[in-house]
Amino acid sequence: MKSNILIIAATLLFIGCNSKKDENNAAEKTISEKEVVITKEQLKNAAITSELMSEKELSATINVNGVIDVPPQNLVSISMPLGGYLKNTKLLPGMFVKKNEVIAVMEDQQYIQLQQEYLTAKSKLFFAEKEYERQRDLNEEKASSDKVYQMADAEYKSLKITVNALGEKLKLIHINPATLSEKNISKSVNIYSPIDGFVSKVNVNIGKYVNPADILFELINPDDIHLNLKVFEKDINGLFIGQKLYAYTNSQPNNKHACEIILISKDISSDEHSAEVHCHFEKYDKTLLPGMYMNATVELKSASLPSLPSDAIVSFEGKDYVFVKKNELTYSMEKVETGISENGFTQIVNSKDFEGKEIATKGAYTLLMVSKNKSEE
């Protein structure tokens, strides 16, 4: 019985020792897999160099989308203040027109009546002016009563007001009262383009009667047409007035249009947490029309960030690593968190873990291959 107890105790002691030995072996294997030891020949052939992490000016790029928009001052609605029938027009959507070009001809009998009233009032005004001057002279010589003089004065001023008012009405329909006479009364009037631009909408057809409030045409001045982008709240602080960007359409992604930010909205929408950013096209392309959707790539403000050359970072099993130098031939494979990448450098987010440490900036993939070959043995 005593001998059996001794055998069991010896067996338990043997198992315990083996278990502890296995744990030590596992720990040593983890440490050894993390460390990479190379030969002097490998160091020479791979040209492995190491350096400390440094600060670099880096900037991120964001992709946003938006729509081509027209500011209110560049969208012109054409109407006829007195109404009338459309006699003639050649306008079609997309057509370019020049300032002061005749874009439509209207006709109506009220135009004739207005011209008649103006010329009649103008003729009466001439007579009233002469009568006023005559009564004024007579009144000064006490040859006429004050009442007669005052009536002549009132008639003259009343007709003067009527003529000026009718003259302004004529200007509304593009008739110059200074050149109007009984010889050139017309039932037709022209509508002229107030700007250089292209036709956005045509809302009438020939022969249609339009009311004063009806919009006949809409014209767009392309000089200030702009791109309205939606930028999320987290990216707004990286933008500034005058910043350059490139926009493109889905149908022509390789055709980049240079733009410049001219306005950044201070109002963040509650539903999308985004703000409007207005951009001006440096060179407007006539194929870009209001309402068209566009994408844009924007480079954010640069900042001085702890960085390493991108070649120093290797990817393995979906994670990023760098090799920290322990001595001339020994490196430790450490996990790294990366951020912005630009011009061959990458931001190191967990930079505090590598302060004062030299990191392999050239030959990192050689070290990775050595590490993988070692783990497979």
Side-chain angles (χ1 to χ4, degrees), residues 62-65 229-240 264-277 300-301:
I62 58 171
N63 294 316
V64 294
N65 56 64
L229 297 174
K230 283 189 176 182
V231 180
F232 288 109
E233 178 183 359
K234 63 183 180 65
D235 298 320
I236 284 293
N237 291 333
L239 305 180
F240 58 90
I264 301 174
S265 174
K266 303 299 181 182
D267 183 22
I268 304 294
S269 64
S270 57
D271 52 345
E272 296 181 343
H273 291 280
S274 63
E276 292 185 350
V277 176
L300 303 179
K301 286 181 181 177

Side-chain angles (χ1 to χ4, degrees), residues 22-201:
D22 289 342
E23 289 178 359
N24 291 336
N25 288 339
E28 289 176 1
K29 184 177 182 182
T30 301
I31 294 173
S32 62
E33 285 181 352
K34 187 176 179 181
E35 289 190 349
V36 180
V37 179
I38 59 175
T39 65
K40 289 185 178 181
E41 185 178 356
Q42 288 175 323
L43 177 66
K44 182 180 178 181
N45 293 336
I48 299 172
T49 59
S50 304
E51 60 184 64
L52 297 173
M53 190 166 33
S54 61
E55 298 276 332
K56 296 290 180 181
E57 288 288 328
L58 299 178
S59 59
T61 58
I62 58 171
N63 294 316
V64 294
N65 56 64
V67 64
I68 298 175
D69 198 5
V70 181
Q73 63 270 25
N74 285 64
L75 180 63
V76 181
S77 297
I78 307 296
S79 59
M80 189 60 181
L82 299 184
Y85 293 91
L86 179 64
K87 180 182 179 181
N88 183 34
T89 184
K90 63 178 182 179
L91 295 191
L92 292 172
M95 182 180 291
F96 185 82
V97 293
K98 294 183 179 181
K99 186 176 182 179
N100 296 325
E101 178 184 346
V102 177
I103 58 176
V105 178
M106 305 291 296
E107 65 178 15
D108 197 274
Q109 63 178 0
Q110 64 177 317
Y111 307 153
I112 301 173
Q113 183 179 353
L114 179 58
Q115 294 169 80
Q116 178 186 353
E117 291 175 357
Y118 174 79
L119 291 174
T120 302
K122 187 177 180 181
S123 178
K124 290 180 179 179
L125 177 63
F126 178 77
F127 174 78
E129 183 179 8
K130 297 301 180 183
E131 179 64 16
Y132 162 73
E133 292 174 352
R134 190 172 71 85
Q135 291 297 332
R136 182 190 60 191
D137 294 341
L138 290 173
N139 184 260
E140 289 176 355
E141 296 174 0
K142 304 301 180 181
S144 174
S145 66
D146 291 342
K147 181 178 180 181
V148 174
Y149 166 65
Q150 290 169 356
M151 288 179 63
D153 179 48
E155 179 68 13
Y156 168 62
K157 290 181 178 177
S158 177
L159 284 170
K160 195 173 183 180
I161 292 171
T162 300
V163 169
N164 288 337
L166 291 172
E168 291 301 315
K169 278 189 175 182
L170 288 172
K171 291 178 182 178
L172 284 175
I173 58 174
H174 308 292
I175 293 178
N176 186 357
T179 59
L180 180 63
S181 68
E182 66 278 5
K183 295 180 181 180
N184 59 4
I185 294 175
S186 175
K187 64 178 180 179
S188 301
V189 296
N190 295 330
I191 297 179
Y192 301 91
S193 173
I195 61 168
D196 289 334
F198 60 88
V199 182
S200 173
K201 293 181 181 179

Side-chain angles (χ1 to χ4, degrees), residues 145-354:
S145 66
D146 291 342
K147 181 178 180 181
V148 174
Y149 166 65
Q150 290 169 356
M151 288 179 63
D153 179 48
E155 179 68 13
Y156 168 62
K157 290 181 178 177
S158 177
L159 284 170
K160 195 173 183 180
I161 292 171
T162 300
V163 169
N164 288 337
L166 291 172
E168 291 301 315
K169 278 189 175 182
L170 288 172
K171 291 178 182 178
L172 284 175
I173 58 174
H174 308 292
I175 293 178
N176 186 357
T179 59
L180 180 63
S181 68
E182 66 278 5
K183 295 180 181 180
N184 59 4
I185 294 175
S186 175
K187 64 178 180 179
S188 301
V189 296
N190 295 330
I191 297 179
Y192 301 91
S193 173
I195 61 168
D196 289 334
F198 60 88
V199 182
S200 173
K201 293 181 181 179
V202 177
N203 300 322
V204 290
N205 54 271
I206 294 175
K208 183 177 181 180
Y209 181 83
V210 294
N211 295 305
D214 293 340
I215 297 175
L216 282 71
F217 315 103
E218 284 188 0
L219 306 180
I220 291 176
N221 181 0
D223 292 341
D224 196 29
I225 199 167
H226 63 252
L227 178 62
N228 185 359
L229 297 174
K230 283 189 176 182
V231 180
F232 288 109
E233 178 183 359
K234 63 183 180 65
D235 298 320
I236 284 293
N237 291 333
L239 305 180
F240 58 90
I241 303 298
Q243 189 171 10
K244 307 294 182 181
L245 59 94
Y246 292 92
Y248 54 93
T249 61
N250 288 329
S251 58
Q252 293 181 311
N254 295 325
N255 187 11
K256 307 291 185 180
H257 302 272
C259 302
E260 179 181 333
I261 295 177
I262 58 173
L263 178 65
I264 301 174
S265 174
K266 303 299 181 182
D267 183 22
I268 304 294
S269 64
S270 57
D271 52 345
E272 296 181 343
H273 291 280
S274 63
E276 292 185 350
V277 176
H278 298 271
C279 312
H280 180 76
F281 289 97
E282 292 187 357
K283 185 178 180 181
Y284 176 64
D285 187 342
K286 291 182 180 179
T287 61
L288 301 178
L289 302 177
M292 185 179 289
Y293 287 96
M294 296 195 78
N295 302 309
T297 301
V298 188
E299 186 175 287
L300 303 179
K301 286 181 181 177
S302 61
S304 183
L305 301 171
S307 310
L308 284 171
S310 299
D311 291 341
I313 302 166
V314 296
S315 296
F316 181 63
E317 294 183 346
K319 297 179 181 179
D320 294 327
Y321 296 90
V322 293
F323 288 92
V324 178
K325 184 177 181 180
K326 296 295 185 180
N327 55 51
E328 184 181 3
L329 300 176
T330 305
Y331 291 83
S332 176
M333 187 174 174
E334 305 286 347
K335 185 179 177 182
V336 68
E337 296 177 22
T338 59
I340 301 169
S341 293
E342 185 184 36
N343 298 328
F345 286 87
T346 299
Q347 175 194 3
I348 305 302
V349 177
N350 58 333
S351 58
K352 291 185 178 180
D353 296 341
F354 304 98

Side-chain angles (χ1 to χ4, degrees), residues 362-375:
K362 290 184 180 180
Y365 273 96
T366 299
L367 293 173
L368 177 64
M369 295 305 296
V370 172
S371 174
K372 287 177 66 178
N373 291 335
K374 180 181 178 182
S375 62

